[in-house]
Amino acid sequence: TVDPEILQIITLLCKALSGGLDESYAAVATHFTEPSFNANSRAKVQEGGRFFDQYNSEMLQARGTTSTSHDIDPTLLETLWQLRSGTAGDNELSEDSSVMVPSERAVNSERLRGQPVPESEGKNEIIVKKGLFNIFLWSHVMDCLDANNSTRQVRIDLVRVQAKMPGVEPIIFLENASRMEALKIPLLNVIKHMGMALCKPHAMTMGLADAFSVGTPSQLSTMCTEAHVPLAVFQFAHAEGLVNMHFGGMRMDVSDSTEMRLYH
């Protein structure tokens, strides 16, 4: 089951997005973006906006140079290749083919990878967004072994707050939402837990003011980001004496200074 505090956080954030806040200023107006306010409410809450876009994200992502296979553990990738190439009867099967990585799971297109966007496909348009954020609940269970060589499982639950347009900052939204009394304790507990997993100093004594203050070691932007999730997972596993664990195909030895330099 999902951690109760994670469920409480995602429930309250959804409530905040659906009109639960009196004030919320998470977007800024620029030459390319224009946030909008709820015209039917006296509350000072930004409800959406519009922005200027030349290329859509799908068009650019298809031409990216980094493929899904780059993020998979080499041993796992080799085992998968042996299985799929044997099934397909193709000894020269590409690691990025649709047989290896289904098209709907690929981060780019094998056919378009590295190619520039033709001028004929670029089009200037105004994109209108209703709502500034998407909120996702993501859970993942990992098998591993403990010091007694017994099988254990580690579960991670994440709340992902994703901006729907440029010029929008999720951390400002979280700061606005933290004015809700019911959100303060669970949000702070989750931030502290992430700080402990990352071995941040003063993780247990910090408050929400520290998390939302710029330039402090405990500021949210240096801890609760997707880039630090693998590090937090493997730091936790190392502290608990858990081994033989991978996170979506990724592995990391946090006691190896070379690997840690490469990660940072």
Side-chain angles (χ1 to χ4, degrees):
T1 58
V2 179
D3 181 82
E5 287 192 316
I6 291 290
L7 281 178
Q8 187 177 3
I9 288 171
I10 199 167
T11 300
L12 291 170
L13 290 182
C14 289
K15 180 181 178 181
L17 287 180
S18 60
L21 298 177
D22 293 329
E23 290 186 4
S24 181
Y25 299 93
V28 296
T30 68
H31 293 298
F32 307 98
T33 62
E34 182 183 14
S36 60
F37 288 83
N38 188 337
N40 299 321
S41 173
R42 294 180 180 179
K44 301 174 182 179
V45 176
Q46 293 170 334
E47 64 163 5
R50 58 182 183 172
F51 64 97
F52 176 81
D53 192 22
Q54 184 174 8
Y55 304 114
N56 64 52
S57 58
E58 290 81 7
M59 184 187 300
L60 295 175
Q61 181 172 318
R63 290 167 169 79
T65 57
T66 302
S67 304
T68 304
S69 61
H70 293 174
D71 294 328
I72 301 177
D73 177 77
T75 302
L76 182 61
L77 183 64
E78 175 64 23
T79 303
L80 182 62
W81 185 88
Q82 293 287 351
L83 174 64
R84 298 287 169 81
S85 63
T87 303
D90 184 359
N91 291 329
E92 297 183 0
L93 183 68
S94 168
E95 293 177 343
D96 298 314
S97 72
S98 59
V99 177
M100 285 285 291
V101 180
S103 300
E104 61 272 16
R105 297 296 183 186
V107 297
N108 65 352
S109 167
E110 185 181 24
R111 180 176 61 86
L112 299 175
R113 178 175 57 197
Q115 296 184 17
V117 178
E119 284 190 29
S120 58
E121 291 189 31
K123 52 183 179 181
N124 301 330
E125 58 181 336
I126 298 295
I127 309 296
V128 178
K129 291 292 184 180
K130 176 68 175 178
L132 294 176
F133 300 97
N134 289 318
I135 296 181
F136 302 93
L137 171 63
W138 185 84
S139 299
H140 185 57
V141 178
M142 297 155 282
D143 293 322
C144 56
L145 299 174
D146 62 15
N148 298 320
N149 209 33
S150 299
T151 301
R152 295 274 302 276
Q153 287 187 325
V154 174
R155 180 190 177 104
I156 180 172
D157 296 316
L158 300 177
V159 176
R160 187 167 186 257
V161 183
Q162 180 189 55
K164 297 171 70 172
M165 58 178 271
V168 180
E169 178 51 64
I171 293 179
I172 296 178
F173 166 66
L174 287 175
E175 184 177 14
N176 295 155
S178 68
R179 297 170 188 156
M180 304 168 70
E181 286 298 325
L183 182 59
K184 289 181 178 180
I185 293 177
L187 180 60
L188 181 58
N189 286 344
V190 169
I191 294 173
K192 284 181 175 181
H193 180 74
M194 188 66 171
M196 287 190 295
L198 292 172
C199 301
K200 292 286 186 178
H202 315 300
M204 287 305 297
T205 58
M206 66 173 290
L208 282 177
D210 299 309
F212 296 120
S213 296
V214 177
T216 65
S218 303
Q219 66 181 11
L220 206 60
S221 61
T222 65
M223 292 197 299
C224 297
T225 63
E226 282 189 89
H228 286 334
V229 172
L231 178 60
V233 167
F234 291 112
Q235 290 274 34
F236 174 83
H238 179 71
E240 295 293 321
L242 303 174
V243 297
N244 198 28
M245 183 175 75
H246 70 83
F247 178 63
M250 293 182 283
R251 297 179 188 270
M252 184 189 306
D253 182 0
V254 296
S255 63
D256 187 312
S257 58
T258 301
E259 284 196 29
M260 293 300 287
R261 278 199 306 272
L262 289 172
Y263 180 83
H264 289 294

